[in-house]
Amino acid sequence: MGKVKNFISGSISKALLYIILDAIYINFSILISIGLWFDGSIPGGSKVAIPDTVWIWYLFMVILAPVICWIVYAAFRFYNNLWEYAAIEDVFKVIIANTIIFICVYFIDSLIISGKQLLILPKRMIFVACVSNIILCVLTRFGGRIVKRVFNYAGHMMSKKAGYKRVMIIGAGNTGNDVIKKIFKNEPRFEDRVPVIVVDDDKEKNNTNINGVRVVYGTKSIPKLAKMYNIDEIIIAISTATNIQLRKIIDYCTKTECVLKKVQPISDISNGVLATQNSIMDINIADLLSRDEINIDVKSISGYLKHKIVLVTGGGGSIGSELCRQISKFSPSKLIIFDVYENSAFEIYNELRENYKETEFIIKIGSIRDNVCLEKLFNDFKPAVVFHAAAHKHVTLMENCPEEAVKNNVFGTMNVAIFADKYNVERFVLLSTDKAVNPTNVMGATKRVTELIIQSMAVKSETKFMAVRFGNVLGSNGSVIPIFKRQIKNGGPVTVTDPEVVRYFMTIPEAARLVLQAGGIGQSGKIFVLDMGDPVKINDLAKNLIRLSGYVPGKDINIIYIGLRPGEKLYEELIMEDEKDELSVTYHDKIFITKPVEIDYTLFKKQLERLNDASYAGSEETYKVLQEILPNFKRR
């Protein structure tokens, strides 16, 4: 309450000050016009002493002009305006208001004062008074900001020790203009900066100015310009840029030693939270890898999810939780979050319950290795759609515990698939991995076996069984990015396995959307392969992440190479050799279908029985049976 009173008191005091100053200024403006006119400075002046009648006329104006001024300014709400946030439009309002004031003065003078023959004065003198008052009003409202801007800019130009960051702004549009104004106003998150140059790819804007800041053509010249103008920070201010355009610009920016930021427009919503209008944020490593947003066929997805009971195994994991978010947008009647780890499941449950009111959300804690638990789950809820995301995914750990990878990934998946068939689930979607292609590690081998299980189930079941194969997911549990960030935060070094190692990457939301889309295609027994774009060198990823953190690779933060770990290979593949000739397209340009590899299902069933026994016999026996099932499994 005290703060409110202080605010109101402060606002009234400021308005009262403006009222007093406006009265002084309008009278001072009239005195200026009288003085200029009668000392002959204006053409047509008389160059004689000011007559007494002029002072009589002025006595009328001492009271009359301020009253008119107060009325007009009040009508324009000048006395409750926040002038520290005023823009060029407010200058135009000042001009219009003063024009109205002195038109009123002119007619009053003509009808009352001069009309009574008290004095006949040149009417152009009133125009001089109007211009003078406009200048004084603008200086009163804007003068402090102008002086502050000049001193800020001049102080920084004289010495970088002034503490300001020299900023290059990418984009000479409305967003770039807004950023410059916020910097000059020293607004929160924009303080302690000075805009030095603007870069834009519009040739027509070359050598123009935005708020006094020069615009230069060509984002390709960013590295050269950053060095030439001694830039400390680059702010990307292009709200309409596509992800591909943004990636190219960031590529140029990472060739500098500047801290890199981008503007987050008000329309950008992340995790359901509306962003602050045109605030600046750090560039995320995902921006370097992102493609244009994937368009999904909402109708096909909605058709198999809306008002249905959906089960997500591993629903609390990084990918499973994002699947839950995306599924919730299509209004299933129930969404069952099934996970062995209660904390992460509870977090996504609370988030979804707050944001989606039409769907009933249910948490069930249990393991896919527990048949009793799964039987009760399917019997109680009878889900129509199952997304199977639960799995052990860490490559190196699974090399040390192959039998556990088999128990969980292979037979856990088999358990869920068997109950999906038994309880007449409509669709079963398995989340697979590119590591299942020509596997060199246990994790990839177990996922390849699960693909074969899904294909074998599809042969005999009314349920549509399918698998979706994709690469590394940025930000998922076990991803390399959090490791790099932690190492950078600790001052390095950043550890990379091999300078030539490459991987396919996809963001979590992107992967989740394509998984849902693949489920909508609904061809049983098929493996859907997602278009992952171009592979990325992990070494380049590490260097860019160091640069985005404001450091120079090899100078501030070192990179060391530790060699490939057990089970890792230099590059991943999305398609096996015998799948390439039979790869077919779908109606979605980012999803492809591989032809199922022909297998002897009778033999496969016996091999699975042996694999189950081997998983309890030890690591070497587990490896041996996996290699019998998958002749292309070559341990590294």
Side-chain angles (χ1 to χ4, degrees), residues 167-173 175-177 179-180 183-184 195-202 205-219 222 225 229 231 235 237-238:
V167 177
M168 173 191 292
I169 295 157
I170 312 299
T175 306
N177 178 54
V179 168
I180 293 171
I183 291 174
F184 281 140
V196 176
I197 193 166
V198 180
V199 181
D200 198 282
D201 279 332
D202 186 347
K205 294 179 180 179
N206 189 36
N207 286 323
T208 58
N209 287 276
I210 298 180
N211 284 307
V213 182
R214 184 187 171 206
V215 179
V216 176
Y217 167 75
T219 52
I222 288 172
L225 292 169
Y229 287 92
I231 300 298
I235 299 177
I238 311 176

Side-chain angles (χ1 to χ4, degrees), residues 104-376:
C104 293
V105 169
Y106 173 82
F107 279 110
I108 291 172
D109 172 64
S110 299
L111 297 175
I112 299 175
I113 304 174
S114 298
K116 298 295 183 180
Q117 300 298 316
L118 294 175
L119 178 67
I120 299 176
L121 292 173
K123 301 302 183 284
R124 284 172 291 176
M125 195 177 78
I126 294 176
F127 173 76
V128 174
C130 178
V131 172
S132 300
N133 202 53
I134 288 171
I135 294 171
L136 290 171
C137 183
V138 168
L139 286 175
T140 302
R141 269 74 175 182
F142 295 85
R145 287 169 54 196
I146 294 171
V147 171
K148 184 178 180 181
R149 182 182 300 184
V150 169
F151 274 96
N152 282 350
Y153 193 78
H156 187 67
M157 290 298 100
M158 286 188 292
S159 172
K160 289 195 69 175
K161 292 181 181 179
Y164 294 97
K165 297 175 184 174
R166 294 171 64 84
V167 177
M168 173 191 292
I169 295 157
I170 312 299
N174 291 331
T175 306
N177 178 54
D178 188 50
V179 168
I180 293 171
K181 288 195 291 186
K182 288 177 183 293
I183 291 174
F184 281 140
K185 291 176 184 177
N186 212 30
E187 289 191 9
R189 296 194 181 187
F190 292 86
E191 63 269 15
D192 300 328
R193 291 172 170 86
V194 60
V196 176
I197 193 166
V198 180
V199 181
D200 198 282
D201 279 332
D202 186 347
K203 288 185 177 179
E204 294 183 1
K205 294 179 180 179
N206 189 36
N207 286 323
T208 58
N209 287 276
I210 298 180
N211 284 307
V213 182
R214 184 187 171 206
V215 179
V216 176
Y217 167 75
T219 52
K220 289 183 179 180
S221 303
I222 288 172
K224 181 179 70 176
L225 292 169
K227 190 173 183 179
M228 183 186 303
Y229 287 92
N230 202 16
I231 300 298
D232 301 310
E233 182 176 270
I234 299 174
I235 299 177
I236 299 175
I238 311 176
S239 57
T240 58
T242 64
N243 285 333
I244 292 176
Q245 290 171 330
L246 183 63
R247 179 176 173 179
K248 287 181 179 178
I249 291 171
I250 294 174
D251 283 342
Y252 294 133
C253 293
T254 53
K255 291 179 173 65
T256 72
E257 296 183 5
C258 304
V259 175
L260 190 53
K261 304 281 186 181
K262 70 175 181 179
V263 172
Q264 185 180 29
I266 195 168
S267 59
D268 186 7
I269 299 177
S270 176
N271 292 328
V273 180
L274 191 62
T276 304
Q277 184 175 18
N278 285 350
S279 61
I280 54 174
M281 58 185 293
D282 292 333
I283 294 289
N284 194 295
I285 195 67
D287 294 318
L288 289 172
L289 307 169
S290 59
R291 296 168 284 278
D292 282 341
E293 184 175 354
I294 292 173
N295 295 317
I296 59 174
D297 182 0
V298 174
K299 186 176 180 181
S300 68
I301 297 175
S302 180
Y304 81 94
L305 292 179
K306 192 176 181 66
H307 304 317
K308 298 291 181 70
I309 299 173
V310 181
L311 167 66
V312 179
T313 69
S318 50
I319 298 173
S321 61
E322 182 61 30
L323 265 176
C324 290
R325 292 186 189 96
Q326 300 286 343
I327 292 167
S328 300
K329 296 175 182 178
F330 295 94
S331 302
S333 60
K334 288 187 179 74
L335 177 56
I336 305 155
I337 304 164
F338 184 74
D339 205 295
V340 73
Y341 183 52
E342 70 276 14
N343 290 342
S344 58
F346 187 62
E347 286 178 11
I348 186 64
Y349 167 77
N350 282 333
E351 177 189 325
L352 296 176
R353 196 173 58 167
E354 290 174 6
N355 295 325
Y356 301 96
K357 305 300 183 184
E358 295 180 5
T359 299
E360 180 184 355
F361 297 100
I362 300 163
I363 294 181
K364 286 296 175 181
I365 303 301
S367 170
I368 57 175
R369 293 161 62 169
D370 185 342
N371 279 329
V372 175
C373 176
L374 287 175
E375 175 91 52
K376 181 170 174 41

Side-chain angles (χ1 to χ4, degrees), residues 297 299-304 387 427 429 464-468 513-530 584-593:
D297 182 0
K299 186 176 180 181
S300 68
I301 297 175
S302 180
Y304 81 94
F387 290 94
R427 298 177 197 232
V429 183
K464 291 181 178 180
F465 284 94
M466 63 204 79
V468 182
R513 284 194 292 268
L514 284 176
V515 167
L516 295 187
Q517 188 69 77
I521 296 172
Q523 296 186 25
S524 188
K526 304 295 185 182
I527 297 174
F528 297 95
V529 180
L530 306 187
S584 59
V585 297
T586 66
Y587 63 80
H588 196 287
D589 61 356
K590 297 292 183 182
I591 303 176
F592 303 90
I593 303 175

Side-chain angles (χ1 to χ4, degrees), residues 39-51:
D39 71 3
S41 298
I42 297 176
S46 60
K47 296 184 180 181
V48 295
I50 300 174

Side-chain angles (χ1 to χ4, degrees), residues 399 402 439-442 445 566-568 619-620 622-624 626-627 632-636:
E399 287 302 296
T440 60
N441 53 68
V442 172
E568 290 188 326
S619 298
E620 289 306 315
T622 301
Y623 278 122
K624 181 180 177 181
L626 277 174
Q627 287 173 327
N632 60 345
F633 173 32
K634 308 295 183 184
R635 288 181 64 188
R636 188 194 166 282

